[in-house]
C-alpha cells in the first residue's frame, strides 16, 4: 500500500478519459437520444392528430350519408307525386277525349237523321202523287197540286 | 500454481504486491523485486500493473463507446448502440435526478467513472492466478526476471493509488466548481461562517475542513477497501485445496458481481452529489 506516482498517473489518465468521453462519446449519443425522443413525441402527436382527423372524417361521412338519404327520400317523394300527377292528367285526357268523340258522333248521327228526313221528305211527294193518281185514276196535274203536296210534305 | 510459494502467507503477500518501477536506494532505476524494495522506492515510483490495466480498460471503454457513438442514429438502435444508450441514459438519469444546474462535465464524468470503475472492478472476477501466471511467464521469459519475483496485481481498484487518484481529481473539481460558482469569498465563507456564525470561525473551519477533506478520502478508501477485501478473499479461497475452491469461489464471485457494480455506482453517485453540493449555495 505505497502511495506513489501511480496516483498522479491515474489522475492524469482519468482526466484524459473524462475529456475524451465528454468530447467524443457523450454528445453524439445524447443527441441521438434526444432526437429519438423527439421523433417519438412527434410520432405520438401525429397519431393523435390522425385519430382526430379520422373522427372528423367519420363524422363528415355520417353527415353526408344522412344528407343523401334525405335527398333520396325527397326525390322519391317528388317522383311519386309526379307520377300521380301524370296518371291524373292522363285520366282527364282520356275522359275529355271520350267526351269529344261522343259529341262528334252525336252530331254526325243528328246530321244523318236530318239527311234521311230530307230524303224521305223529297220522296213523300212522289209517293203521294203516285198514291193519289191511283186513287183518282187520273193524272193529276203535277204542277197544279205540287204546292199542296209540298205543303203537306213540309208538315211531315 | 506456477508460482510455487514456500508458505501461504508468502503466496498471499505476493498477490498483494504491485509491479513497481522506480529508483532503488542505490540510485539505479528498475523494477522492485520484493515488497521491501518497492516500499523503499518511496513516492517517486509507479505501479506498472495498475497503470497498464487501468489504461487498457479505459481505452477499451472509450473505444467501445466511441465506436457506438460514431454510428449512433436516432432510428431503431441495435447491439452495441443499445448497450451504450442504456448506460448513457442510466447515467444521465442519475445525474438529472441529483444535479439540477447546468454543467457539461458532470454527466460524461459520471459515465467515465461508472464504466471505468466497473471494468476495473470486474477484473476481480478473473481467477486470481490466471493473469499473474501469464505475467510471470512473460516476466521470466521476455524480461529475464527471477521466477516468483514478478509481481502483478491485476485489479487496479485494489491499489489505493488508483482510487485516490480518481477521488483527488473529483476533489479538485469540487474545489474548482465551488470557487467558480460561489466565488473565492463565497467558498471561504462556506468553510468558515457555518454552522456556528462568525464568532466561531476556527471551530467552523475545523468542522467544515474535515468534512471537505473527508470527501475524497472516503470516496477513495471505500472503493479500495471493498475491492481489496474482495480480492483478499479470492486469494484466501485460492489457498484452499483445489477441489474445494469452486464451492467457495463461485458463490463469492456471484456475490461479488453485485459488489463491483454497486461500488462503481456509489463512486459515481457520490461524485455527482459532491459536485452538485459544490454548485449549491447554502
Amino acid at each position: 500500500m505505497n502511495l506513489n506516482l501511480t496516483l498522479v498517473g491515474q489522475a492524469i489518465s482519468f482526466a484524459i478519459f473524462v475529456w475524451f468521453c465528454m468530447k467524443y462519446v457523450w454528445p453524439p449519443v445524447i443527441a441521438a437520444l434526444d432526437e429519438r425522443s423527439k421523433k417519438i413525441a412527434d410520432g405520438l402527436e401525429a397519431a393523435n392528430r390522425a385519430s382526430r382527423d379520422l373522427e372528423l372524417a367519420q363524422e363528415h361521412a355520417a353527415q353526408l350519408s344522412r344528407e343523401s338519404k334525405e335527398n333520396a327520400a325527397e326525390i322519391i317523394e317528388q317522383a311519386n307525386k309526379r307520377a300521380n300527377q301524370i296518371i291524373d292528367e292522363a285520366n282527364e285526357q282520356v275522359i275529355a277525349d271520350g267526351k269529344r268523340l261522343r259529341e262528334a258522333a252525336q252530331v254526325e248521327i243528328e246530321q244523318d237523321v236530318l239527311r234521311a228526313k230530307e230524303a224521305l221528305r223529297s220522296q213523300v211527294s212522289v209517293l203521294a202523287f203516285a198514291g193519289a193518281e191511283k186513287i183518282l185514276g187520273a193524272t193529276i196535274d203535277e204542277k197544279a197540286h205540287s204546292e199542296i203536296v209540298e205543303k203537306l210534305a213540309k208538315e211531315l | 500454481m506456477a508460482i510455487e510459494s514456500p508458505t501461504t502467507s508468502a503466496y498471499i503477500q505476493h498477490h498483494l504486491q504491485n509491479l513497481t518501477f522506480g529508483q532503488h536506494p542505490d540510485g539505479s532505476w528498475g523494477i522492485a523485486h520484493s515488497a521491501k524494495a518497492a516500499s523503499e522506492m518511496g513516492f517517486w515510483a509507479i505501479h506498472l500493473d495498475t497503470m497498464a490495466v487501468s489504461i487498457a480498460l479505459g481505452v477499451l471503454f472509450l473505444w467501445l463507446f466511441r465506436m457506438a457513438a460514431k454510428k449512433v442514429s436516432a432510428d431503431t438502435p441495435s447491439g452495441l448502440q443499445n448497450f451504450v444508450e442504456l448506460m448513457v441514459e442510466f447515467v444521465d438519469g442519475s445525474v438529472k435526478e441529483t444535479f439540477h444546474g447546468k454543467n457539461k462535465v458532470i454527466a460524461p464524468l459520471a459515465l467515465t467513472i461508472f464504466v471505468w470503475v466497473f471494468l476495473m472492478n470486474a477484473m476481480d472476477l478473473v481467477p486470481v492466478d490466471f493473469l499473474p501466471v501469464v505475467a510471470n511467464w512473460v516476466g521470466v521469459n521476455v524480461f529475464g526476471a527471477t521466477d516468483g519475483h514478478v509481481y502483478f496485481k491485476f485489479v487496479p481498484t485494489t491499489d489505493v493509488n488508483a482510487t485516490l487518484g480518481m477521488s483527488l481529481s473529483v476533489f479538485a473539481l469540487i474545489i474548482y466548481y465551488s470557487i467558480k460558482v460561489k466565488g473565492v469569498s463565497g467558498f471561504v465563507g462556506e468553510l468558515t461562517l457555518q454552522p456556528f456564525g462568525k464568532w466561531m470561525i476556527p471551530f467552523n473551519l475545523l468542522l467544515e475542513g474535515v468534512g471537505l477533506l473527508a470527501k475524497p478520502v472516503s470516496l477513495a478508501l471505500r472503493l479500495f477497501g471493498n475491492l481489496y477485501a474482495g480480492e483478499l478473499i479470492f486469494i484466501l479461497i485460492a489457498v484452499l485445496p483445489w477441489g474445494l475452491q469452486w464451492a467457495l469461489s463461485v458463490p463469492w464471485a456471484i456475490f461479488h458481481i453485485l459488489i463491483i457494480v454497486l461500488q462503481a455506482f456509489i463512486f459515481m453517485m457520490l461524485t455527482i452529489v459532491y459536485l452538485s453540493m459544490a454548485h449549491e449555495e447554502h
Side-chain angles (χ1 to χ4, degrees):
Chain A
M1 235 189 94
N2 310 311
L3 281 181
N4 57 26
L5 269 185
T6 313
L7 190 125
V8 180
Q10 280 287 317
I12 292 169
S13 34
F14 181 52
I16 293 170
F17 291 152
V18 170
W19 169 81
F20 187 91
C21 182
M22 195 176 91
K23 189 110 182 164
Y24 296 108
V25 174
W26 191 265
V29 176
I30 277 290
L33 288 176
D34 286 350
E35 197 188 329
R36 183 168 324 122
S37 58
K38 195 175 165 294
K39 257 189 185 174
I40 291 173
D42 287 355
L44 286 177
E45 201 191 322
N48 269 340
R49 214 170 32 237
S51 76
R52 218 163 36 237
D53 285 355
L54 178 66
E55 232 167 69
L56 283 178
Q58 273 170 346
E59 217 167 89
H60 189 62
Q63 196 183 339
L64 273 183
S65 98
R66 206 162 49 239
E67 272 175 15
S68 58
K69 265 182 202 157
E70 279 168 13
N71 275 344
E74 206 173 302
I75 288 170
I76 289 171
E77 203 181 318
Q78 277 179 354
N80 278 337
K81 219 186 271 175
R82 181 87 186 110
N84 285 336
Q85 202 179 345
I86 288 172
I87 290 171
D88 286 351
E89 276 173 11
N91 278 341
E92 278 167 21
Q93 185 82 33
V94 166
I95 290 168
D97 280 357
K99 204 172 164 189
R100 205 176 57 242
L101 282 175
R102 211 168 51 233
E103 278 169 2
Q106 204 120 31
V107 167
E108 214 168 307
I109 289 167
E110 278 169 11
Q111 278 173 350
D112 280 354
V113 169
L114 279 179
R115 255 197 313 278
K117 274 182 179 171
E118 206 65 32
L120 276 176
R121 215 178 269 148
S122 66
Q123 282 178 1
V124 162
S125 58
V126 178
L127 278 173
F129 278 123
E133 257 177 8
K134 290 263 167 71
I135 296 163
L136 298 173
T139 310
I140 299 166
D141 184 6
E142 262 181 65
K143 273 183 192 160
H145 302 291
S146 62
E147 270 179 41
I148 304 165
V149 176
E150 264 167 32
K151 234 188 243 170
L152 196 72
K154 268 180 190 156
E155 281 169 19
L156 279 172
Chain B
M1 271 177 260
I3 309 161
E4 279 303 331
S5 306
T7 63
T8 303
S9 80
Y11 171 76
I12 294 170
Q13 296 253 310
H14 181 272
H15 271 281
L16 293 177
Q17 179 57 43
N18 282 103
L19 180 67
T20 314
F21 178 87
Q23 192 177 24
H24 291 294
D26 61 15
S28 64
W29 290 83
I31 286 170
H33 292 295
S34 67
K36 190 170 166 289
S39 61
E40 276 168 355
M41 285 173 178
F43 184 77
W44 298 102
I46 194 158
H47 292 159
L48 295 177
D49 47 1
T50 302
M51 291 305 296
V53 174
S54 63
I55 288 174
L57 290 173
V59 169
L60 172 74
F61 149 60
L62 289 173
W63 174 70
L64 266 179
F65 274 58
R66 176 64 188 152
M67 215 162 61
K70 259 200 274 188
K71 283 188 289 190
V72 78
S73 74
D75 302 326
T76 316
S78 62
L80 182 64
Q81 194 189 333
N82 258 331
F83 168 72
V84 168
E85 282 183 3
L86 188 78
M87 300 302 290
V88 168
E89 272 193 318
F90 165 68
V91 171
D92 196 42
S94 303
V95 171
K96 278 183 180 147
E97 249 170 46
T98 313
F99 178 70
H100 302 293
K102 268 198 124 176
N103 191 315
K104 278 186 176 167
V105 180
I106 290 184
L109 174 78
L111 178 70
T112 310
I113 287 174
F114 184 64
V115 182
W116 196 31
V117 171
F118 168 74
L119 285 173
M120 291 195 286
N121 289 352
M123 293 301 109
D124 218 358
L125 296 175
V126 178
V128 286
D129 273 322
F130 274 24
L131 293 153
V133 166
V134 172
N136 188 60
W137 187 87
V138 171
V140 170
N141 293 300
V142 180
F143 297 107
T146 327
D147 190 24
H149 286 275
V150 178
Y151 301 102
F152 205 91
K153 218 168 143 191
F154 203 70
V155 190
T157 39
T158 59
D159 181 354
V160 74
N161 288 297
T163 60
L164 206 55
M166 280 193 287
S167 72
L168 286 179
S169 307
V170 172
F171 183 60
L173 283 176
I174 293 174
I175 291 176
Y176 171 73
Y177 283 117
S178 292
I179 292 174
K180 193 182 169 196
V181 173
K182 301 163 195 163
V184 176
S185 59
F187 181 50
V188 171
E190 200 174 73
L191 284 177
T192 52
L193 296 178
Q194 54 169 359
F196 293 120
K198 59 183 172 179
W199 301 111
M200 297 279 273
I201 282 175
F203 186 69
N204 290 341
L205 185 60
L206 184 71
L207 216 59
E208 289 289 316
V210 168
L212 185 67
L213 292 174
K215 285 174 184 174
V217 174
S218 68
L219 203 54
L221 290 185
R222 180 182 300 108
L223 180 59
F224 164 72
N226 273 283
L227 271 290
Y228 190 82
E231 179 74 350
L232 193 61
I233 288 174
F234 274 120
I235 295 167
L236 289 175
I237 291 169
V239 174
L240 292 172
W242 67 269
L244 278 177
Q245 288 181 12
W246 64 271
L248 288 170
S249 66
V250 169
W252 181 243
I254 292 170
F255 178 62
H256 217 62
I257 293 173
L258 177 70
I259 296 197
I260 59 179
V261 180
L262 194 66
Q263 286 304 321
F265 178 69
I266 289 174
F267 201 108
M268 176 192 82
M269 268 329 275
L270 285 177
T271 302
I272 299 169
V273 169
Y274 290 158
L275 287 177
S276 85
M277 277 162 72
H279 280 74
E280 277 161 15
E281 307 271 357
H282 280 279

